[in-house]
Amino acid sequence: MRIDVLSLFPNMFAPMRESIIGKTVERGLVDFNVTDFRNYTDNKHHKVDDEIYGGGQGMLLMPQPLFDAMDAVEKEAGNRGRVILMDPAGKTFNQSIAEELAKEEHLTIIAGHYEGYDERIRTLVDDEISLGDFVLTGGELGAMTVIDATVRLLDEALGDERSAVDESFSTGLLEYPQYTRPADFRGLKVPDVLLSGHHANIAKWKHKEALRRTYQRRPDLLADYVLTTEDQKLLKEIKQEEQND
Ligand SMILES: C[S@@+](CC[C@H](N)C(=O)[O-])C[C@H]1O[C@@H](n2cnc3c(N)ncnc32)[C@H](O)[C@@H]1O
């Protein structure tokens, strides 16, 4: 996969060299490029922003530097790929968007700054993505979040022993509680079933606890989850158990 980011602060992407994402770049699984679109200004002061027509606080990113930077990406890569604008007015990012983006061969992400974009910049983009209902100073942290969540879904990104298949949101439920050694830590014990070696019972326990956690913490997710007859029985048990607690 090729990923281009258009940003005024390329140094902010240093974390992309670390950990699992850094390894995907080192191993050639991801071709990651950051373009400083200030280098594409056609004015002698390298200005990328200007005052807002009709009045308004702050400065807006002008179209010219971003349009020219996008042309440069297209020239180098042969295409623009799927173009994403980081913007608070976009669709809220989630796991299913990450899964969709992980299927693309090329993503180009625009990270804004200042008061945001001249409206005409939106004609360049395929998707507008928000991290949530809050305002950041720039799109860099959002772009890194989108890249991290997307790249870890690529085949081979997590390595043989790790998997994104069972994780929160991938199944439609939150992940069940997990434990590692020791079996008894300061009197806090690992549930007996997990030490039993009985695979069917363990699988059933994991599923029930994923349902319980989702019901307790994110009941909204259950609205989109197709409950089997067995799930409905388990949920009834969970509600009963909660009442008895
Ligand atoms: C200070 S913000 C501009 C906010 C804009 N004036 C508004 O009210 O929507 C500057 C840039 O940060 C990025 N940004 C801020 N909040 C964001 C969010 N919640 N999700 C994604 N990007 C965000 C965008 O790239 C945005 O253009």
Side-chain angles (χ1 to χ4, degrees), residues 2-243:
R2 175 176 172 129
I3 300 179
D4 283 278
V5 179
L6 306 186
S7 160
L8 293 172
F9 298 92
N11 292 340
M12 281 185 74
F13 290 86
M16 297 281 98
R17 290 198 290 269
E18 300 291 335
S19 185
I20 292 171
I21 305 305
K23 292 224 165 64
T24 62
V25 176
E26 260 173 41
R27 287 159 56 207
L29 213 58
V30 173
D31 176 7
F32 179 62
N33 311 276
V34 187
T35 298
D36 183 347
F37 57 87
R38 193 179 294 281
N39 294 336
Y40 290 87
T41 51
D42 63 5
N43 61 80
K44 67 174 183 213
H45 299 296
H46 300 296
K47 237 168 86 77
V48 291
D49 56 336
D50 212 331
E51 289 166 5
I52 304 172
Y53 277 126
Q57 279 190 336
M59 306 282 266
L60 278 188
L61 290 171
M62 299 186 291
Q64 179 275 318
L66 272 165
F67 271 70
D68 283 0
M70 191 63 85
D71 286 346
V73 167
E74 186 169 6
K75 199 165 164 205
E76 200 198 302
N79 60 70
R80 293 176 179 184
R82 185 160 167 179
V83 181
I84 294 164
L85 189 78
M86 297 312 303
D87 191 83
K91 199 167 166 193
T92 308
F93 189 56
N94 61 23
Q95 189 69 15
S96 63
I97 297 178
E99 283 166 10
E100 211 187 292
L101 297 182
K103 293 181 194 140
E104 298 287 342
E105 279 180 13
H106 184 192
L107 299 175
T108 298
I109 306 180
I110 302 175
H113 233 86
Y114 313 119
E115 274 315 305
Y117 315 96
D118 178 293
E119 194 61 20
R120 291 162 289 189
I121 289 169
R122 295 183 201 271
T123 63
L124 290 173
V125 315
D126 298 305
D127 305 273
E128 300 186 14
I129 292 183
S130 167
L131 271 205
D133 292 347
F134 44 81
V135 178
L136 299 162
T137 51
E140 287 73 16
L141 293 171
M144 280 190 274
T145 303
V146 169
I147 293 167
D148 189 294
T150 301
V151 165
R152 69 192 293 286
L153 295 176
L154 298 180
D155 290 344
E156 299 178 54
L158 296 183
D160 289 345
E161 75 284 11
R162 305 179 66 178
S163 163
V165 174
D166 246 8
E167 286 180 326
S168 297
F169 310 112
S170 300
T171 58
L173 299 174
L174 296 180
E175 194 173 55
Y176 46 82
Q178 297 184 96
Y179 300 85
T180 183
R181 272 187 266 273
D184 183 343
F185 177 70
R186 300 186 180 183
L188 299 168
K189 295 199 170 78
V190 173
D192 288 340
V193 62
L194 297 180
L195 308 174
S196 68
H198 192 301
H199 297 303
N201 285 353
I202 292 173
K204 195 173 167 200
W205 181 89
K206 285 180 174 176
H207 186 61
K208 183 174 176 182
E209 294 313 310
L211 270 173
R212 186 193 307 279
R213 184 155 276 187
T214 310
Y215 169 69
Q216 287 172 334
R217 301 186 186 190
R218 290 290 306 277
D220 57 300
L221 294 178
L222 290 179
D224 291 330
Y225 187 76
V226 183
L227 292 167
T228 61
T229 318
E230 177 61 13
D231 290 337
Q232 287 170 9
K233 209 174 115 213
L234 289 172
L235 256 186
K236 212 168 153 192
E237 272 175 36
I238 291 165
K239 288 179 188 172
Q240 195 62 54
E241 286 161 13
E242 302 289 300
Q243 274 175 5

